[in-house]
Amino acid sequence: MEFRLLGSVSVATEAGDLALGPVKRRSLLAALLLRPNFPVPVDQLTAALWDDEPPPRARSVIQGHVSRLRTLLESTDARMYGVELATQGAAYALRMPESLLDAHRFEELVALARGQRSAGDAVVMYQEALALWQGPALSGVFPSAPLQAAAHALEELRLSAVEQLALGYGKLGEHARAAAVLHAEAGAHPLRESLSAALVTALRRAGRRSEALDCFHRTRRLLADELGVDPGRELAEAYALALRGQYDDEDARAAGAPVDERGGPAARPVPADATAPLVSGAPVDLLPRAPRGFHGRAAELAALSRAASGEAPVCLVTGPAGVGKSALVVHWAHRERERFPDGRLHVDLRGFSETGEPELLDVLREFLLALGVAPRRIPESLNSAAALFRSLTAERRILVVLDNVRSSEQARPLLPGGADCVTVVTSRHRLSGLVASDAARPVPLDVLGDDDSAALLAAVLGPERVHAEPIAARRLARLCDGLPLALRVAAARLADQPHWTLAAMAEELSDATRRLSLLDAEDTGVRAALQLSVRRLPPGAAHHLAHLGRHPGTRFGRRTAAALAGSTPAAAETALDQLAAAHLLTHGAPGRWTMHDLVRLYARAMDAEPDALPRVLDHYIATGLAAAQAAEQDGEPCFELPAAFHPPVEVREFDDRDAAMAWYAAEREDVVLAAGAADAAGLHDRTWRLVLALWPLMVWRVHDGWSPLLYTALAAARADADAYAQSRVLSLLGWVLTEEGRTAEALPHLEQAPRLAARAGDAGGEATALINLSLAQAALGDLEEAADGCLRAVDIARATGERNTERLALYHLTRHQLDAGQWKSALGTATAASSLQAPDAPAPSRVLLLAAAGEALVGLGDEIEGVRCLDEAAREAEAAGYDDGAVRALGALLRVTDDEAYRVRRDAARARLAVGA
């Protein structure tokens, strides 16, 4: 068994890595592993799992994750390795031999390496220590401040070990290997001067003087641009040695250079053309100055370089307003100056500006003048001027930057003619026409991550101010959506107010009603940039955008958009594609779109119809009813449609239960948010219906913390004074609480539910409520009363012809009889329930009845037939992915037989449940 922190947090066993489950559980394990064999208080675990205010049930959540981890460890016989997750008062301790932890072994090997007299032995130990790393430390955990600080500390230890390994290589004369080790790390940590100094020295000693000098100058520029400082003494001295070309015998031999009689490197021959005169005249350069404070974007810069390779490439840099497209391209163009010896052309085509677009003939005239064409020789027609431009660039290596392009036809006349020329186009639109006609290579640009956002803030405010409030800086970045324009405006406000903290600015921005105003500065800002994008939209797309701002969820498809806008799904899909092409939406999974928060805030300020919210709520209600019908085909509708219902133009159809359950899983978050929006708007009749529409998912995933949502639905049903709604919600709430082990809390709700259902004339609801009440009664030990309740439910369901409810009541009666040891009665009841079951009944229903019959047969002494039934139930449950049923059937089998195969299957089902919890 091995516990890993040096890479993805994981637990390796002989059978493979344990399925640790959600990020929070992985983060909890990491927090315990960082202090092995020491009690870690709950408040420290809370700080590791949540950034800001933890949820009210944080302690319960932690207890649940600890319980799951303990079960996982026990399932792998962790005690055999001396591993135990123990509770110590208000703290938890992971007791274990520290040799099982990769971070501990790494530190031990590093300590041993430092004590070696032999450089060769030290190198071997450093190599072994660094081989334990499988990626960035603590990968896959929640990015809380304590865990990030721990990851940073481990990374510092790793970098120190890398530097010591390179030093060891140097002592062995293997300077090329030292340079190779350092090169990757210096690229990943360009501001770490000790790495750069070691790399300069290794390159010099390897005889690669020009690379050493280039490394120094690159680091010097970064230090100046990023931190405003000069290189320190160590780096400056390494540079001085490289600049003077100083060698000793070891350096020269390591580089493979001849040594003269004085012990220094022999003189090298001078190439015959070294003194040839340079070509006179400077190349044309219309680029704007390099952007100040440019940070990050390493992946995008690399993607742009790749796109710029090949024959006459056209690179298409696209992204939303304010994402930094122009800055990226200009920065890249300055960085790649040497690739374009014949010049660099640039024009802002103002495709999204209020000042109007320049005439293309005027742009070509400027290009031609810059290339040396006399004014009188410039053609007067656009086509002739474009042809002359292509001719002049045919044999040159020129970069053409076309910034802020609105459409493909705006860019085409400005494309150069040379195979060695590169064109870079920036646009808020995708310009698929340019991709089709000129094989343009897209380079999409998204918002900045947390680290790059913090670096951008530091460039304006100074690193000390940002590093003093790392959590606030991260929150500020997220409130700005990682949008460079928004971050620069926020930084400018903070720069004007040096007494403000980043936390104070973040608190101001957290007010959604003021955020866009706070992110405006004079003639620039997020709102102004978005306004220009929206003005270029077709009317239908703008109409849909305004209504999407009223969407209570985070993701939407064409039917949802149609419901909001009062349009058809076909019209909505066209508008969504247009909005995505303008980078106002993000097209994620097929048929799914999302919207950044700042765009959503802008859309909310646009004019929209007042019925947008009720329409989308009714869309979710109608779709939820259709999904429930497909998921539980023999079940009754859980409610009637509300008054003043807005019927959607099109309601999704579900082919089978799997499709319905997939919809529930995908839409759960948005339906819950819709219920919250309905509750906030006082639309009580929609609130409880939206919650009840989720009942098949609640049955399938009962331990997913549904009770707060059901309490919201109960309050809405009571505000609506609807006895039917109250009984249905109380019945479902009571059942969920019972399943959560909160039976005492559930009982009062369950006792009310049958009476309210009877008052509302809801016979089916009364029978269901009696069944759920029986479960609580059985949990409290009153099996006789529980059985009586199920019998009453059977009578009611039989009288009303509701076979599904009758079957359900008989199944639970079977369970009560089994618990009471009434084997014969249980078998008869299970058989009666099975006779009511449709041939295509859902797998859970078949599994539970088959398992109940098997348990009854075993109780009657017919173990062969009982085991057969239980085995069949287990196999069907596993095939259907019904892990709760598999655990129940396999657990019953293990009470009869010690077959190890059953134990392995049960543990696997438990592990799958733990991962999904």
Side-chain angles (χ1 to χ4, degrees), residues 720-762:
D720 211 20
D722 191 319
Y724 173 93
Q726 292 177 59
S727 71
R728 291 280 174 158
V729 174
L730 283 166
S731 180
L732 186 55
L733 173 60
W735 176 73
V736 167
L737 292 171
T738 302
E739 290 292 315
E740 290 178 351
R742 299 156 65 182
T743 312
E745 184 180 346
L747 193 61
H749 300 316
L750 291 168
E751 288 173 340
Q752 291 181 57
R755 295 194 297 269
L756 285 165
R759 186 195 309 168
D762 178 14

Side-chain angles (χ1 to χ4, degrees), residues 765-832:
E766 183 182 1
T768 302
L770 286 168
I771 295 168
N772 291 349
L773 174 59
S774 80
L775 298 178
Q777 292 166 335
L780 293 171
D782 196 343
L783 293 176
E784 185 176 350
E785 191 169 358
D788 288 344
C790 285
L791 288 170
R792 287 172 57 201
V794 168
D795 291 339
I796 294 171
R798 192 170 291 161
T800 55
E802 295 184 11
R803 291 170 61 86
N804 180 55
T805 306
E806 182 184 352
R807 179 194 51 75
L808 186 65
L810 287 170
Y811 165 71
H812 286 290
L813 177 58
T814 303
R815 294 304 323 169
H816 303 324
Q817 290 167 338
L818 287 171
D819 290 342
Q822 299 170 2
W823 313 116
K824 187 174 181 179
S825 297
L827 181 60
T829 307
T831 303

Side-chain angles (χ1 to χ4, degrees), residues 334-390:
H334 279 281
R335 193 181 76 168
E336 301 292 326
R337 179 189 303 269
E338 302 303 323
R339 292 182 58 174
F340 308 105
D342 297 320
R344 298 173 296 175
L345 302 174
H346 176 279
V347 63
D348 182 358
L349 291 173
R350 303 195 297 272
F352 305 90
S353 171
E354 291 182 314
T355 58
E357 301 169 6
E359 293 291 336
L360 294 183
L361 182 58
D362 292 339
V363 174
L364 283 166
R365 183 176 291 112
E366 184 177 351
F367 282 1
L368 292 170
L369 287 171
L371 292 172
V373 178
R376 65 179 181 277
R377 297 190 60 190
I378 295 176
E380 293 298 321
S381 75
L382 176 62
N383 289 339
S384 297
L388 179 58
F389 175 61
R390 289 192 294 272

Side-chain angles (χ1 to χ4, degrees), residues 23-166:
V23 171
K24 296 290 188 189
R25 192 173 307 145
R26 194 180 301 270
S27 306
L28 175 72
L29 175 61
L32 294 171
L33 287 173
L34 288 168
R35 296 193 63 199
N37 299 310
F38 285 89
V40 183
V42 169
D43 57 350
Q44 290 185 20
L45 295 173
T46 302
L49 268 61
W50 289 277
D51 259 341
D52 300 315
E53 282 293 320
R57 296 179 60 249
R59 183 178 293 270
S60 297
V61 172
I62 289 173
Q63 289 171 346
H65 286 308
V66 167
S67 176
R68 293 286 188 183
L69 281 176
R70 191 174 282 138
T71 300
L72 275 175
L73 292 172
E74 289 173 357
S75 70
T76 58
D77 294 325
R79 287 181 183 272
M80 186 174 68
Y81 297 90
V83 178
E84 180 186 9
L85 179 48
T87 303
Q88 293 184 226
Y92 298 98
L94 189 57
R95 297 171 183 159
M96 59 183 291
E98 292 189 2
S99 59
L100 298 180
L101 182 61
D102 60 355
H104 175 77
R105 296 205 308 281
F106 170 76
E107 293 179 14
E108 278 193 331
L109 284 166
V110 168
L112 286 171
R114 286 174 181 156
Q116 298 302 308
R117 293 184 179 182
S118 164
D121 291 342
V123 162
V124 170
M125 290 181 180
Y126 280 123
Q127 288 173 330
E128 186 178 349
L130 289 166
L132 293 170
W133 285 74
Q134 300 180 7
L138 275 63
S139 295
V141 302
F142 180 75
S144 62
L147 293 182
Q148 285 195 320
H152 179 73
L154 288 169
E155 176 67 3
E156 283 295 315
L157 291 174
R158 187 186 71 83
L159 290 175
S160 296
V162 169
E163 291 172 351
Q164 291 301 315
L165 174 62

Side-chain angles (χ1 to χ4, degrees), residues 19 66 69 82 86 91 135 156 173 253-254 264 272 335 399 408 411 432 454 473 483 555 563 602 682 709 864:
V66 167
L69 281 176
E156 283 295 315
R253 290 191 182 94
R335 193 181 76 168
L399 171 67
S408 299
S432 54
L483 199 66
R555 297 163 296 177
Y602 182 89
L709 182 65
I864 294 175

